[in-house]
């Protein structure tokens, strides 16, 4: 059911002048069209051009898309970035769901504060945080030095930084709050008496989690997954800074085409591919929500 | 921008607040500085706005031609550049910044992409870039991440005489060389600071650096490091002051350039940031003659593609 | 014999509001117990405490002699039909109903069969695939009922489970509940506002008032022998006439009222003469005569209300201006002659007038 | 009522605790380093004695403070505007015909789905084309375009779970759509709105790559940091980051206390 | 005279399910109209269509001659008491009740005064500061009622507004609604499952069955003269005996049933002899005699159920094995002698047995 009854669906009648109707559609379709689609559209066009001797050739061709599949290491980097983001998304959604459920099980009074304590880290610049993560995890970083000083180890642990694992950890930490918030907000709407009823029917807390909490939290979980996937798929700064020689990702390749390489056509095509990927992720998340029966 | 304003697109350290303050007091022109992190962002930004957002842009000699070809910067009007006389004689001809009969930049700051080494590990300075490939130092080497300069560096390390005009065969050679280096690398880094920070937090003994500042900063932090230009040579970079093609305020642009090219400003920059000034012989930077001064390379696009493959290689 | 369930001296507070006070209730095996009381008297709270949804501030809750304090909701062999149904909106009717079996790990085929069976019983055989949002109020209530009974618990807690059903369905569900009780030996704790329903279904009724137990007993006993004015007025209709006790001869007392001296029968100890009392006469026990004998109580017909099977006649006595005397008659044509304004003699057998201590 | 589940709660608590530690370790390190700077003597790590020097230096660093001010203005305006827009879009989605809603949704989502450089460049080119000079306004627009999808999603999840009966009741009682929005729908969505706007603020406050392009000569804090990365952060950056965090925490706690809902505001 | 509200030939579908079909209802000014029907018959849907919460698939909705199609919910001069209350849980009771006035921009003082007044009326004077979550079911229902009536609309739509209230409160609210109707000239469209309530309150009752109107009329008329078996069975209890019409003399007909030849009176056109009919006798119209005259209908007492004011006696006739004949008596002691198993003669006046065409 819709919070706002409307005339458009088979809902109740509602008087609204044609002018108001136009304004409403205009605002909602016009604004994004003007500020988003039109500006971006040119890049889609550019993606079908090519570069020859440093100059753009204005002839439509699929060359850039072909290049993605056949030349260099675009496809390989794309796939490994995809895998990385998928892994981070998976682990973050699991963690964020656990944390959201944890918050949900607190008393109503404390929930908001706990939630906010998970959001607070977003207020520190991620660049500073990455620097900080590095100075903690470095071979001569705070962690190693601390452990050495305490005598817990006698050689610095080497493997903490500059590896795929490091990227994984850093991305997970940086983007965890983005997953927690939507999931929690969905859980927060679960009627209290549903839990009473499921317990009454004999469900263990775990079963209640499986049958009530998680299904009803699904829109939030999907949103959290989409956030995490998209943000990590596009982020090349973090991998580059903590990933060592493994820190090369697809976003970086896209970015590099717009610098001195001046290869906007290829860059645009790669961006379109990135867009298609993220769109697909959104669509997939949408699919899991199809069977949504709202009260 | 408004008449009484000059807009700079610059790197960190090229518009010190003290200078800005002095300039504003002197001329009544307000200074607006926009900092960028690298030349890639700079050119993307300039291209998308046709240079209309800035009056003065600092561009290094290696990318000047690209900026000029894209019509992002305008030729220098030497008449208006009254401070040109302050330039050291070496920089007076501005030859690096001249092509197609026009001069596009005024030399402003320079440095080298040399090697930083740990003095404990190397009681005497390594004399060849080859040491970076030495398996003994696996995982203790870090390298600058810069498509163009890394290829220059690879070519230099291979002993190629003209690193700016590489043949296909040479490029392939350089690529393999750089991929081979990866095995020894702990990581790449992107700026002076990243290099020094990573050095100080990890067990690093060798660095293909972004310049003198890396060594200076490490020494300030208490690390016993040295800076050397190996026998193969090293890229010398030279950043130029240029006038944006999109400016509608040429006078203010020249006012800033004339102000910046004073000897005292150059001296202050050298002191504060460790860059070589073009108006004053810098202390300790006595190796200018051994540097291979950066030039516009044969094909940026190509180089970017190759560099991407290097970085993607396993 | 040990009761199935024993609420011992339970008290409960919400903040500073005390909603239950010294509640003591036993439920025997296979008993149909109804809790009756005005809105806000604490009925739902009692049920929620039994179900384990609310903590208590005093007393104990014993099930077959074991303290339930440490038994979590899902281990209590009870099921509840919630006042607001609490159907899972993301499950369809069949899934809702089968949920209790599913969490017990029963095989799918068994669940499907039982669900179909129970849905048939509550008259929703065709609606298994619907979602709660697609049901009417009464249909939802039946789903809630089906969901609770499918597990065949030892005790079912029902909070007004039939309130949204029409008479026919209601009668049918009542029969169903009774048969369930008989067939499965389940005990019921039932909340209803419908007194006929309470009387018809219950083995025992507990009347709750302001968080305390007012009176309890078998339906007929409670109806016929209320011991407090509250019970007298609350369970079924009653005519309450205030007065003063003048004398008593055995159980039969003389009461001085504004309308004159009236007779009543007391159940239990006789109050001392001179104490204020209430005389309670059921509307169906009042006789009406058109030709009054001398000295008879005369009243004037104020309203005649057709109620279907019954007719309610309201009469005004000049000495009792604040209360209308209610008289109930079968709508069998016997009252056809009555007219508003008509004066009638009213009377009742002394045995039918109960004497209560005024509170 | 809450079903007791000590084991599950312990496990969840453990995860939450681990999450908090992971999230806060970098923050705590930054805060600590703002008071005790690392000092290495010949490569061996040590700490300088406690000092407020970075804080003193921060007060004197007009450039950074100006960048901070710009960032604050941008973040406040952009997050509030994003909230309003996100709400509008969410209502549109639930009320308009499905096709229109999806169309709007895809468009709104685009900037979030694309690499920021594309979003940044495309906006920059668009601004150039309409001769809209780059400045605070363009940064704000850039941020809004990027933030709206996040806030929209957050708000929509909540809105879709709201159910219609309270809205119906409000309209039935004679409230206009606007009154219903203000008195019934928004209060119900309060947690989503507050956290949505905080999230928006946080994203805007830290947005770098899009800002890089749409900024004219205005400099936001992240842009300043981005550029500073080349030569190194001055110590006052740690002080600044610490202060921002403390302020945010204080504000959040204050909101949290104001948020207290009526007792038993359960279902 | 133009009706206040006119539902013209309304039909409504949910997907492929047709829930309303050719519904035609008029509501006159100041009328108390009750919609009665089994669970799921479409009552709530009718109310929601009037309120503007549901669109229609056919027909028109006219208010004082104006088509309501383009009038939004908040401009319709109606207020609704929802079946699930729909209280704003983030507002306290007083804020909930005052909401309709607040959005009309009334001054605070006026709102406060009116709210206090209305809360007093529904017996919640002290609970203005409570939140809905802190109320009992019945208390919530009263808040919903208070919230709807405070605006004094032209028409109030009530979906089982009294179902969660106990008898006493219910009677009190019924009186209150009636007085409201009289005092303010408001019209009511009322849904209830309680037939006594429907009969007592309504000026007119509409019986809905499977999305169609089955019959409508004044309560007594409908009760006494049902025209379809459904109405006969649904509104109040009835004994329905199937048979075949053999002959008719005026309105009095002879019916051949399994239990023999019985008499009944037909209302309206007489079916042709030989057609299958139902004979409907109300339980309160059946007389019981212990000493049967020869040829009398003999039945055996199967159950005696005490219902409070009434007693329900169920009898079994050997020729009618599937149906128990229900007989209602006042619980005034007149049935004390009855015992289960006892054989009695049953009878009724021909005028009290209605003849219906079997459907
Ligand atoms: N969204 C829906 N989709 C499909 N069927 C629906 C939907 N909503 C209601 N129905 C069906 O429409 C019919 C009428 O529903 P309605 O709520 O009007 O019944 P009602 O007469 O009010 O019943 P009750 O007395 O039980 O409240 C029911 O059979 C119900 O199952
Ligand atoms: N959370 C709460 N805070 C304060 N008072 C409450 C709370 N919950 C219930 N109450 C009060 O406790 C009393 C008992 O409530 P309960 O729900 O048990 O009543 P009830 O007998 O079921 O009434 P009804 O017949 O109306 O459903 C009521 O007066 C109610 O207002
Ligand atoms: N911070 C000033 C350093 C400038 C170095 N410019 C080198 C350009 C290499 N692309
Ligand atoms: Mg209750
Ligand atoms: Mg209904």
């Amino acid at each position: 059911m819709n919070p706002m009854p409307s005339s458009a669906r088979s809902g109740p009648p509602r008087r609204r002048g044609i002018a108001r109707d136009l304004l409403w559609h205009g605002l909602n379709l016009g604004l994004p069209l003007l500020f988003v689609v039109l500006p971006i559209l040119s890049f889609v066009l550019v993606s079908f051009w090519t570069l020859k001797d440093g100059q753009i050739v204005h002839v439509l061709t699929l060359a850039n898309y072909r290049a993605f599949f056949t030349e260099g290491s675009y496809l390989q980097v794309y796939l490994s970035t995809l895998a990385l983001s998928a892994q981070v998304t998976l682990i973050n959604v699991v963690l964020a769901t656990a944390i959201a459920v944890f918050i949900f099980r607190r008393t109503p009074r404390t929930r908001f504060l706990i939630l906010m304590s998970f959001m607070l880290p977003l207020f520190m610049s991620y660049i500073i945080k990455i620097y900080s993560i590095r100075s903690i995890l470095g071979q001569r970083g705070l962690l190693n030095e601390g452990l050495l000083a305490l005598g817990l180890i006698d050689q610095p642990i080497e493997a903490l930084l500059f590896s795929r694992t490091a990227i994984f950890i850093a991305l997970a930490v940086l983007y965890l709050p983005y997953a927690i918030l939507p999931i929690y907000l969905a859980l927060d709407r679960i009627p209290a008496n549903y839990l009473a009823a499921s317990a009454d029917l004999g469900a263990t807390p775990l079963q209640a989690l499986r049958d009530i909490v998680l299904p009803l939290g699904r829109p939030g979980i999907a949103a959290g997954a989409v956030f995490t996937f998209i943000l990590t798929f596009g982020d090349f700064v973090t991998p580059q800074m903590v990933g060592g020689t493994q820190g090369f990702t697809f976003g970086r390749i896209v970015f590099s085409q717009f610098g001195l390489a001046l290869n906007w056509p290829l860059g645009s095509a790669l961006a379109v591919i990135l867009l298609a990927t993220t769109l697909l992720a959104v669509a997939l998340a949408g699919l899991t929500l199809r069977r949504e029966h709202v009260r | 921008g408004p008449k009484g304003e000059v807009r700079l697109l610059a790197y960190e350290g090229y518009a010190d607040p003290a200078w800005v303050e002095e300039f504003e007091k002197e001329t009544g022109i307000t200074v607006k500085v926009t900092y960028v992190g690298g030349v890639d962002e700079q050119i993307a930004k300039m291209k998308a706005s046709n240079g209309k957002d800035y009056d003065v842009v600092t561009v290094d000699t290696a990318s000047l031609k690209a900026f000029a070809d894209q019509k992002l910067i305008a030729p220098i009007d030497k008449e208006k550049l009254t401070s040109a006389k302050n330039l050291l004689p070496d920089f007076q001809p501005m030859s690096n910044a001249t092509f197609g009969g026009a001069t596009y930049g005024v030399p402003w700051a320079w440095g080298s992409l040399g090697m930083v080494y740990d003095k404990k590990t190397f009681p005497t300075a390594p004399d060849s870039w080859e040491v970076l490939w030495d398996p003994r130092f696996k995982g203790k080497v870090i390298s600058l991440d810069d498509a163009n300069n890394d290829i220059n560096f690879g070519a230099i390390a291979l002993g190629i005489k003209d690193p700016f005009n590489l043949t296909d065969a040479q490029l392939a050679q350089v690529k393999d060389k750089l991929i081979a280096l990866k095995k020894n690398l702990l990581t790449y880094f992107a700026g002076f600071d990243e290099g020094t920070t990573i050095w100080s937090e990890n067990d690093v003994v060798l660095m293909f650096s972004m310049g003198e500042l890396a060594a200076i900063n490490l020494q300030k932090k208490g690390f016993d490091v040295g800076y050397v230009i190996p026998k193969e040579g090293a890229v010398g970079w030279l950043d130029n002051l240029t006038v944006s093609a999109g400016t509608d305020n040429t006078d203010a642009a020249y006012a800033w350039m004339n102000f910046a090219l004073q000897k005292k400003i150059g001296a202050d920059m050298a002191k504060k940031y460790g860059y070589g000034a073009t108006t004053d012989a810098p202390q300790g930077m006595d190796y200018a003659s051994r540097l291979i001064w950066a030039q516009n390379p044969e094909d940026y696009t190509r180089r970017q593609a190759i560099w991407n493959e290097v970085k993607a290689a396993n | 014999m040990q009761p199935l369930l024993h609420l011992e001296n339970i008290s409960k507070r919400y903040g500073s509001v005390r909603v239950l006070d010294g509640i003591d209730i036993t439920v025997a095996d296979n008993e149909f117990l109804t809790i009756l009381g005005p809105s806000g008297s604490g009925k739902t709270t009692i049920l929620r405490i039994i179900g384990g949804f609310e903590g208590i501030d005093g007393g104990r809750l014993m099930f077959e002699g074991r303290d339930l304090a440490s038994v979590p909701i899902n281990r209590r062999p009870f099921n509840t039909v919630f006042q607001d149904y609490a159907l899972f909106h993301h499950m369809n009717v069949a899934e809702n109903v089968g949920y209790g079996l599913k969490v017990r790990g029963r095989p799918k085929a068994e669940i499907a069969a039982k669900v179909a069976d129970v849905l048939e019983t509550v008259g929703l055989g065709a609606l298994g695939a619907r979602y709660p949002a697609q049901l009417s109020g009464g249909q939802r209530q039946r789903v809630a009922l089906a969901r609770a009974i499918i597990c065949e618990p030892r005790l079912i807690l029902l909070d007004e489970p039939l309130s949204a059903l029409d008479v026919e369905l209601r009668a049918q569900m009542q029969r169903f509940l009774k048969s369930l009780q008989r067939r499965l030996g389940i005990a019921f704790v039932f909340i209803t506002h419908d007194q006929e329903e309470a009387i018809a279904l219950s083995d025992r009724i507990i009347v709750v008032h302001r968080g305390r137990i007012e009176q309890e007993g078998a339906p007929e006993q409670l109806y016929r022998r209320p011991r407090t004015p509250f019970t007298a007025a609350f369970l079924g209709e009653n005519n309450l006439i205030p007065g003063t006790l003048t004398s008593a001869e055995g159980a039969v007392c003389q009461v001085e009222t504004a309308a004159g001296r009236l007779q009543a029968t007391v159940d239990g100890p006789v109050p001392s003469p001179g104490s204020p009392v209430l005389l309670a006469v059921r509307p169906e026990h009042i006789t009406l005569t058109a030709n009054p004998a001398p000295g008879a109580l005369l009243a004037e017909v104020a309203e005649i209300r057709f109620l279907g099977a019954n007719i309610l006649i309201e009469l005004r006595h000049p000495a009792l201006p604040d209360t209308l005397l209610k008289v109930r008659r079968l709508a069998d044509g016997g009252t056809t002659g009555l007219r508003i304004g008509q004066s009638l003699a009213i009377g009742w057998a002394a045995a039918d007038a109960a004497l209560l201590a005024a509170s | 009522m809450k079903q007791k589940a000590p084991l599950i709660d312990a496990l969840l608590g453990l995860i939450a605790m681990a999450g908090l530690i992971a999230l806060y370790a970098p923050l705590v390190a930054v805060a600590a380093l703002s008071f005790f700077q690392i000092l290495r003597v010949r490569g061996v790590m040590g700490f300088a004695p406690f000092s407020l020097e970075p804080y003193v230096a921060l007060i004197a660093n007009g450039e950074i403070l100006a960048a901070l001010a710009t960032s604050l203005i941008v973040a406040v305006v952009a997050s509030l505007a994003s909230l309003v827009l996100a709400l509008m879009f969410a209502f549109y989605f639930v009320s308009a015909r499905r096709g229109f809603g999806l169309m709007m949704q895809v468009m709104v989502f685009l900037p979030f789905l694309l690499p920021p450089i594309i979003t940044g460049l495309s906006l920059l080119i668009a601004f150039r084309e309409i001769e809209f000079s780059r400045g605070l306004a363009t940064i704000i627009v850039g941020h809004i375009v990027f933030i709206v999808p996040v806030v929209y999603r957050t708000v929509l999840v909540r809105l879709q779970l709201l159910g219609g009966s309270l809205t119906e009741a409000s309209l039935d009682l004679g409230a206009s759509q606007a009154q219903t929005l203000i008195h019934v729908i928004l209060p119900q969505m309060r947690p989503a709105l507050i956290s949505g706007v905080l999230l928006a603020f946080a994203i805007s406050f830290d947005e770098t790559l899009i800002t890089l392009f749409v900024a004219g000569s205005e400099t936001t804090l992240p842009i300043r940091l981005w550029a500073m990365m080349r030569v190194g952060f001055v110590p006052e950056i740690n002080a600044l980051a610490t202060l921002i965090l403390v302020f945010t925490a204080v504000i959040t706690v204050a909101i949290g206390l104001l948020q207290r809902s009526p007792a038993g505001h359960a279902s």
Side-chain angles (χ1 to χ4, degrees), chain A residues 212-236:
Chain A
I212 312 295
V213 177
L214 294 184
L216 292 176
R218 207 165 41 180
I221 294 174
V226 164
F227 284 174
T228 311
F229 180 81
I230 291 169
L231 289 169
T232 55
F233 196 67
D235 181 1
F236 57 84

Side-chain angles (χ1 to χ4, degrees), chain B residues 172-310:
Chain B
Q173 239 184 314
V174 169
K175 178 177 160 189
D176 291 343
K177 184 76 177 165
L178 292 174
I179 290 177
L181 179 62
K182 270 190 97 174
K183 303 214 173 17
N184 252 19
L185 288 183
L186 176 65
T187 183
Y188 295 104
F189 63 86
F192 292 109
D193 184 61
E194 262 215 288
T196 55
T197 316
I198 290 171
W199 183 295
S200 57
E201 289 162 355
N202 296 277
D203 295 319
V204 180
V205 298
L206 286 166
M207 155 158 60
F208 162 44
S209 80
M210 193 160 165
E212 290 77 3
L213 192 55
I216 296 170
N217 283 350
L218 279 173
Q219 284 156 3
K220 272 195 213 150
K221 286 187 177 186
F223 288 89
D224 201 5
V225 298
Y227 186 80
V228 63
I229 306 296
K231 62 177 189 234
E232 297 92 343
V235 173
W237 58 264
L238 173 59
D239 280 351
N240 299 267
L241 296 172
T242 70
V243 178
S244 163
T247 182
D248 55 1
N249 205 354
T250 322
D251 289 346
Y254 281 96
W256 171 262
M257 294 202 290
N258 286 325
F259 173 85
L261 285 172
Q262 299 173 84
K263 283 189 183 297
K264 60 171 185 189
I265 300 288
D268 198 38
M269 172 176 69
K271 192 171 105 229
K272 279 182 174 150
Y273 300 99
Y275 302 146
T278 51
T279 47
D280 206 354
Q283 263 189 335
M285 289 170 70
D286 50 4
Y287 39 70
S289 56
R290 289 166 53 213
L291 298 180
I292 304 166
W293 290 97
Q295 291 169 27
N296 181 55
E298 71 294 324
D299 186 349
Y300 262 124
T301 317
R302 189 85 193 281
R303 286 190 166 206
Q304 185 65 58
I306 290 173
W307 181 238
N308 282 345
E309 283 173 40
V310 170

Side-chain angles (χ1 to χ4, degrees), chain B residues 34-35, chain D residues 207-208 211-212 215 219-228:
Chain B
T34 302
Y35 293 101
Chain D
E207 210 302 313
T208 312
T211 317
L212 199 60
T219 294
T220 63
L221 197 56
I223 295 299
R224 205 65 198 76
L225 293 176
W226 182 256
M228 257 189 211

